[in-house]
Amino acid sequence: MHIELRKLKVVDALSEETTCYSAEIWIDGQRAFLASNRGHGAADDYHAVGSVTEQAVDAWLAANRPVSRLGDSVMPYCLEFEVAALITRIEEAKRLRRQCRTKLVTIEGDQVFCYRLKARTPAGVQRLTPSARMVNGDDAALDEAVAVMIAQAGKHAPS
């Protein structure tokens, strides 16, 4: 099952306890749900517009994704967790694309670095760190950089 968000709109000014957003959820190339959250801490709202049910998606996700742990609690993976992860990836990719306009972004080992473009050139960074992968202008590298940043944030999150 391929799940993606389209027409995502995040409203940071209204995001208090949860992310305030609206989006379309597409499953296997078909529009399945209209999703939203008002940002006040409540659960996401899903309105089915296709033939797929939220329960069917939750069952598939619970069977195919790792469980989520919060302290001693174990929660089966569900559509709300998937949407939150997709929003994080999309927003981080947007932020990193903005960084690429004025900075040289590289992946070096398991970290992402940003260098001022005026201070460094790609050739200079490559000479100093031969294993560095340039992110600027490379969508595959951008996706990898987002994954690295999310993984690093997960390592530093309080348990």
Coordinates of all heavy atoms in Angstrom, one line a residue, residues 63-120:
A63 N 0.0 -4.1 10.6 CA 0.7 -5.4 10.1 C 2.0 -5.1 9.5 O 2.9 -6.0 9.4 CB -0.2 -6.1 9.2
N64 N 2.2 -3.9 8.9 CA 3.4 -3.7 8.1 C 4.3 -2.6 8.6 O 5.3 -2.3 7.9 CB 2.9 -3.3 6.6 CG 2.3 -4.5 5.9 OD1 3.0 -5.4 5.5 ND2 1.0 -4.5 5.9
R65 N 4.0 -2.0 9.7 CA 4.9 -1.0 10.2 C 5.2 -1.4 11.7 O 4.4 -2.0 12.3 CB 4.3 0.4 10.2 CG 3.9 1.0 8.9 CD 5.1 1.6 8.2 NE 4.7 2.5 7.1 CZ 4.4 2.1 5.8 NH1 4.5 0.8 5.5 NH2 4.1 3.0 4.9
P66 N 6.4 -0.9 12.2 CA 6.7 -1.3 13.6 C 5.8 -0.5 14.6 O 5.3 0.5 14.3 CB 8.1 -0.8 13.8 CG 8.4 0.2 12.7 CD 7.4 -0.2 11.5
V67 N 5.5 -1.1 15.7 CA 4.7 -0.5 16.7 C 5.4 0.7 17.2 O 6.6 0.9 17.2 CB 4.4 -1.5 17.9 CG1 3.6 -2.7 17.4 CG2 5.7 -1.9 18.6
S68 N 4.6 1.6 17.8 CA 5.2 2.9 18.4 C 5.2 2.7 19.9 O 4.3 2.2 20.5 CB 4.3 4.1 18.0 OG 4.4 4.3 16.6
R69 N 6.3 3.1 20.5 CA 6.4 3.0 21.9 C 6.5 4.4 22.5 O 7.2 5.3 22.0 CB 7.7 2.2 22.3 CG 7.6 0.8 21.8 CD 8.8 0.0 22.3 NE 8.9 -1.3 21.7 CZ 8.1 -2.3 22.0 NH1 7.3 -2.2 23.0 NH2 8.3 -3.5 21.4
L70 N 5.8 4.6 23.6 CA 5.8 5.8 24.4 C 5.9 5.4 25.8 O 4.9 5.0 26.4 CB 4.6 6.7 24.1 CG 4.5 8.0 24.8 CD1 5.7 8.9 24.3 CD2 3.2 8.7 24.5
G71 N 7.2 5.5 26.3 CA 7.4 4.9 27.7 C 7.1 3.5 27.7 O 7.7 2.7 26.9
D72 N 6.2 3.0 28.6 CA 5.9 1.6 28.7 C 4.7 1.2 27.8 O 4.4 0.1 27.6 CB 5.5 1.3 30.1 CG 6.7 1.4 31.1 OD1 7.8 1.2 30.6 OD2 6.5 1.6 32.3
S73 N 4.1 2.2 27.2 CA 2.9 2.0 26.3 C 3.4 1.6 24.9 O 4.3 2.1 24.3 CB 2.1 3.2 26.2 OG 1.6 3.6 27.4
V74 N 2.7 0.6 24.4 CA 2.9 0.1 23.0 C 1.6 0.4 22.2 O 0.5 0.0 22.6 CB 3.2 -1.4 23.0 CG1 3.4 -1.9 21.5 CG2 4.5 -1.7 23.8
M75 N 1.8 1.1 21.1 CA 0.6 1.5 20.3 C 0.8 1.0 18.9 O 1.9 1.2 18.3 CB 0.4 3.0 20.3 CG 0.2 3.6 21.6 SD 0.3 5.4 21.7 CE 2.0 5.6 21.7
P76 N -0.2 0.3 18.3 CA -0.1 -0.2 16.9 C 0.0 1.1 16.0 O -0.6 2.1 16.3 CB -1.3 -1.0 16.7 CG -2.3 -0.6 17.8 CD -1.5 -0.1 18.9
Y77 N 0.8 0.9 15.0 CA 0.9 2.0 14.0 C -0.4 2.2 13.3 O -1.1 1.3 13.0 CB 2.0 1.6 13.0 CG 2.7 2.8 12.3 CD1 3.8 3.4 12.9 CD2 2.2 3.2 11.1 CE1 4.4 4.5 12.2 CE2 2.8 4.3 10.4 CZ 3.9 4.9 11.0 OH 4.5 6.0 10.4
C78 N -0.8 3.5 13.1 CA -2.1 3.8 12.5 C -1.9 4.9 11.5 O -0.8 5.5 11.3 CB -3.1 4.1 13.5 SG -2.7 5.6 14.5
L79 N -3.0 5.2 10.8 CA -3.0 6.3 9.8 C -2.5 7.6 10.4 O -1.8 8.4 9.7 CB -4.4 6.4 9.2 CG -4.5 7.4 8.0 CD1 -3.5 7.1 6.9 CD2 -5.9 7.4 7.5
E80 N -2.9 7.9 11.6 CA -2.5 9.2 12.2 C -1.0 9.3 12.3 O -0.4 10.3 12.1 CB -3.2 9.4 13.5 CG -3.1 10.8 14.1 CD -4.1 11.2 15.1 OE1 -5.0 10.4 15.3 OE2 -4.1 12.3 15.6
F81 N -0.3 8.2 12.7 CA 1.1 8.2 12.8 C 1.8 8.3 11.4 O 2.8 9.0 11.3 CB 1.6 6.9 13.5 CG 1.2 6.7 14.9 CD1 1.3 5.5 15.5 CD2 0.8 7.7 15.7 CE1 0.9 5.3 16.8 CE2 0.4 7.6 17.0 CZ 0.5 6.3 17.6
E82 N 1.2 7.6 10.5 CA 1.7 7.7 9.1 C 1.6 9.1 8.5 O 2.5 9.6 8.0 CB 0.9 6.7 8.2 CG 1.4 6.7 6.8 CD 2.7 5.9 6.6 OE1 3.3 5.3 7.6 OE2 3.2 5.9 5.5
V83 N 0.5 9.8 8.8 CA 0.3 11.2 8.3 C 1.3 12.1 9.0 O 1.9 12.9 8.3 CB -1.2 11.6 8.5 CG1 -1.3 13.1 8.3 CG2 -2.1 10.9 7.5
A84 N 1.4 11.9 10.3 CA 2.4 12.8 11.0 C 3.8 12.6 10.4 O 4.6 13.6 10.3 CB 2.4 12.4 12.5
A85 N 4.2 11.3 10.1 CA 5.5 11.1 9.6 C 5.7 11.7 8.2 O 6.7 12.3 7.9 CB 5.8 9.6 9.5
L86 N 4.6 11.6 7.4 CA 4.6 12.2 6.0 C 4.7 13.7 6.1 O 5.5 14.3 5.4 CB 3.4 11.8 5.2 CG 3.4 10.3 4.8 CD1 2.0 9.9 4.3 CD2 4.5 10.0 3.8
I87 N 4.0 14.3 7.0 CA 4.0 15.8 7.2 C 5.4 16.2 7.6 O 6.0 17.2 7.1 CB 3.0 16.3 8.2 CG1 1.6 16.2 7.6 CG2 3.3 17.7 8.6 CD1 0.5 16.4 8.6
T88 N 6.0 15.5 8.5 CA 7.4 15.8 9.0 C 8.4 15.7 7.8 O 9.2 16.6 7.6 CB 7.9 14.8 10.1 OG1 7.0 15.0 11.2 CG2 9.3 15.1 10.5
R89 N 8.3 14.7 7.0 CA 9.2 14.5 5.8 C 9.0 15.7 4.8 O 10.0 16.2 4.3 CB 9.0 13.2 5.1 CG 9.5 12.0 5.9 CD 9.4 10.7 5.1 NE 10.4 10.7 4.1 CZ 11.7 10.3 4.3 NH1 12.1 10.0 5.5 NH2 12.5 10.3 3.3
I90 N 7.7 16.0 4.5 CA 7.4 17.0 3.6 C 7.9 18.4 4.1 O 8.6 19.2 3.3 CB 5.9 17.1 3.3 CG1 5.5 15.8 2.5 CG2 5.6 18.3 2.5 CD1 4.0 15.6 2.4
E91 N 7.7 18.7 5.3 CA 8.1 20.0 5.9 C 9.6 20.1 6.0 O 10.2 21.2 5.7 CB 7.4 20.2 7.2 CG 5.9 20.5 7.1 CD 5.6 21.8 6.4 OE1 6.0 22.8 6.8 OE2 4.9 21.7 5.4
E92 N 10.3 19.0 6.4 CA 11.7 19.1 6.4 C 12.4 19.2 5.1 O 13.4 19.9 4.9 CB 12.3 17.8 7.2 CG 12.1 17.8 8.7 CD 12.8 19.0 9.3 OE1 14.0 19.3 9.1 OE2 12.1 19.8 10.0
A93 N 11.8 18.5 4.1 CA 12.3 18.6 2.7 C 12.1 20.1 2.2 O 13.0 20.6 1.6 CB 11.6 17.7 1.8
K94 N 11.0 20.7 2.5 CA 10.8 22.1 2.1 C 11.8 23.0 2.8 O 12.4 23.9 2.1 CB 9.4 22.6 2.6 CG 8.4 22.8 1.5 CD 7.2 23.6 2.0 CE 6.1 22.7 2.5 NZ 4.9 23.5 2.8
R95 N 12.0 22.8 4.1 CA 13.0 23.6 4.8 C 14.4 23.4 4.2 O 15.2 24.4 4.1 CB 13.0 23.2 6.3 CG 13.8 24.1 7.2 CD 13.7 23.7 8.7 NE 14.3 22.5 9.0 CZ 15.7 22.3 9.1 NH1 16.5 23.3 8.9 NH2 16.1 21.1 9.4
L96 N 14.8 22.2 3.9 CA 16.1 21.9 3.4 C 16.2 22.5 2.0 O 17.3 23.0 1.6 CB 16.3 20.4 3.3 CG 17.8 19.9 3.4 CD1 18.5 20.6 4.5 CD2 17.8 18.4 3.5
R97 N 15.2 22.5 1.1 CA 15.2 23.1 -0.2 C 15.5 24.6 0.0 O 16.2 25.2 -0.8 CB 13.9 22.9 -0.9 CG 13.9 21.6 -1.7 CD 12.7 21.5 -2.6 NE 12.6 20.1 -3.2 CZ 12.0 19.1 -2.6 NH1 11.3 19.3 -1.5 NH2 12.0 17.9 -3.2
R98 N 14.8 25.2 1.0 CA 15.1 26.7 1.2 C 16.6 26.9 1.6 O 17.2 27.9 1.2 CB 14.2 27.2 2.3 CG 12.8 27.5 1.8 CD 12.0 28.3 2.9 NE 11.9 27.7 4.2 CZ 11.0 26.9 4.6 NH1 10.0 26.5 3.8 NH2 11.0 26.4 5.8
Q99 N 17.1 26.0 2.4 CA 18.5 26.1 2.8 C 19.4 26.0 1.6 O 20.4 26.7 1.5 CB 18.9 25.0 3.8 CG 18.3 25.1 5.2 CD 19.1 26.0 6.1 OE1 20.3 26.2 5.9 NE2 18.4 26.5 7.1
C100 N 19.1 25.2 0.6 CA 19.9 25.0 -0.5 C 20.0 26.2 -1.4 O 20.9 26.4 -2.2 CB 19.4 23.8 -1.4 SG 19.7 22.2 -0.7
R101 N 19.1 27.2 -1.3 CA 19.1 28.4 -2.0 C 20.3 29.3 -1.6 O 20.9 30.0 -2.5 CB 17.9 29.2 -1.8 CG 16.6 28.6 -2.4 CD 15.4 29.5 -2.2 NE 14.2 28.8 -2.4 CZ 13.1 29.1 -1.9 NH1 13.0 30.1 -1.1 NH2 12.0 28.3 -2.1
T102 N 20.7 29.2 -0.4 CA 21.7 30.1 0.1 C 22.9 29.4 0.7 O 23.9 30.0 1.1 CB 21.2 31.1 1.2 OG1 20.6 30.4 2.2 CG2 20.1 32.0 0.6
K103 N 22.8 28.1 0.9 CA 23.9 27.3 1.5 C 24.2 26.1 0.7 O 23.4 25.6 -0.1 CB 23.4 26.9 2.9 CG 23.3 28.1 3.9 CD 22.9 27.6 5.3 CE 22.9 28.7 6.3 NZ 22.1 29.8 6.1
L104 N 25.4 25.6 0.9 CA 25.8 24.3 0.4 C 25.5 23.3 1.4 O 26.0 23.3 2.6 CB 27.3 24.3 0.1 CG 27.9 23.0 -0.4 CD1 27.3 22.7 -1.8 CD2 29.4 23.1 -0.5
V105 N 24.6 22.3 1.1 CA 24.2 21.3 2.0 C 24.8 20.0 1.7 O 24.8 19.6 0.5 CB 22.6 21.2 2.0 CG1 22.2 20.1 3.0 CG2 22.0 22.5 2.3
T106 N 25.4 19.3 2.7 CA 26.1 18.0 2.4 C 25.6 17.0 3.4 O 25.2 17.3 4.5 CB 27.6 18.2 2.5 OG1 28.0 18.5 3.8 CG2 28.2 19.2 1.5
I107 N 25.8 15.7 3.0 CA 25.6 14.6 4.0 C 27.0 14.1 4.2 O 27.7 13.7 3.2 CB 24.7 13.5 3.4 CG1 23.4 14.1 3.0 CG2 24.6 12.4 4.4 CD1 22.5 13.1 2.1
E108 N 27.4 14.1 5.4 CA 28.7 13.6 5.8 C 28.6 12.5 6.9 O 28.3 12.9 8.0 CB 29.6 14.7 6.2 CG 29.8 15.8 5.1 CD 30.6 17.0 5.6 OE1 31.4 16.9 6.5 OE2 30.4 18.1 5.0
G109 N 28.7 11.3 6.5 CA 28.5 10.2 7.5 C 27.0 10.1 7.8 O 26.2 10.0 7.0
D110 N 26.7 10.3 9.1 CA 25.3 10.3 9.5 C 24.9 11.6 10.0 O 24.0 11.7 10.9 CB 25.1 9.2 10.6 CG 25.9 9.5 11.9 OD1 26.8 10.4 11.9 OD2 25.7 8.8 12.9
Q111 N 25.4 12.7 9.4 CA 25.0 14.0 9.7 C 24.8 14.9 8.5 O 25.4 14.6 7.4 CB 26.1 14.7 10.6 CG 26.1 14.1 12.0 CD 27.1 14.9 12.9 OE1 28.1 15.3 12.4 NE2 26.7 15.1 14.1
V112 N 24.0 15.9 8.6 CA 23.8 16.9 7.5 C 24.4 18.2 7.9 O 24.2 18.7 9.0 CB 22.3 17.0 7.2 CG1 22.0 18.1 6.1 CG2 21.7 15.7 6.8
F113 N 25.2 18.8 7.0 CA 25.9 20.0 7.3 C 25.5 21.1 6.3 O 25.2 20.8 5.1 CB 27.4 19.9 7.2 CG 27.9 19.0 8.3 CD1 28.2 17.7 8.1 CD2 28.2 19.6 9.6 CE1 28.7 16.9 9.2 CE2 28.7 18.8 10.6 CZ 28.9 17.4 10.4
C114 N 25.4 22.3 6.7 CA 25.1 23.5 5.8 C 26.3 24.4 5.9 O 26.7 24.9 7.0 CB 23.8 24.2 6.3 SG 22.4 23.2 6.1
Y115 N 26.9 24.8 4.7 CA 28.0 25.7 4.6 C 27.5 26.9 3.9 O 26.7 26.8 2.9 CB 29.1 25.1 3.9 CG 29.7 23.8 4.5 CD1 29.4 22.6 4.0 CD2 30.6 23.9 5.6 CE1 29.9 21.4 4.5 CE2 31.1 22.8 6.1 CZ 30.8 21.5 5.6 OH 31.3 20.4 6.2
R116 N 27.9 28.1 4.3 CA 27.6 29.3 3.5 C 28.2 29.2 2.1 O 29.4 28.8 2.0 CB 28.2 30.5 4.2 CG 27.5 30.9 5.5 CD 27.9 32.2 6.1 NE 28.8 32.9 5.2 CZ 29.7 33.8 5.6 NH1 29.8 34.1 6.9 NH2 30.5 34.5 4.8
L117 N 27.4 29.5 1.1 CA 27.9 29.4 -0.3 C 29.1 30.3 -0.5 O 30.0 29.9 -1.3 CB 26.8 29.6 -1.3 CG 25.9 28.5 -1.5 CD1 24.7 28.9 -2.4 CD2 26.6 27.3 -2.2
K118 N 29.1 31.4 0.1 CA 30.2 32.4 -0.2 C 31.5 31.9 0.4 O 32.6 32.2 0.0 CB 29.9 33.8 0.4 CG 28.7 34.4 -0.4 CD 28.4 35.8 0.2 CE 27.3 36.4 -0.6 NZ 26.9 37.7 -0.1
A119 N 31.4 31.1 1.5 CA 32.6 30.7 2.2 C 33.2 29.3 1.6 O 34.3 29.1 1.8 CB 32.3 30.5 3.7
R120 N 32.3 28.5 1.0 CA 32.7 27.2 0.6 C 32.3 27.0 -0.9 O 31.2 27.4 -1.3 CB 32.2 26.1 1.5 CG 32.4 26.2 2.9 CD 33.8 25.7 3.2 NE 34.1 25.9 4.6 CZ 34.6 25.0 5.4 NH1 34.8 23.8 5.0 NH2 34.8 25.2 6.7

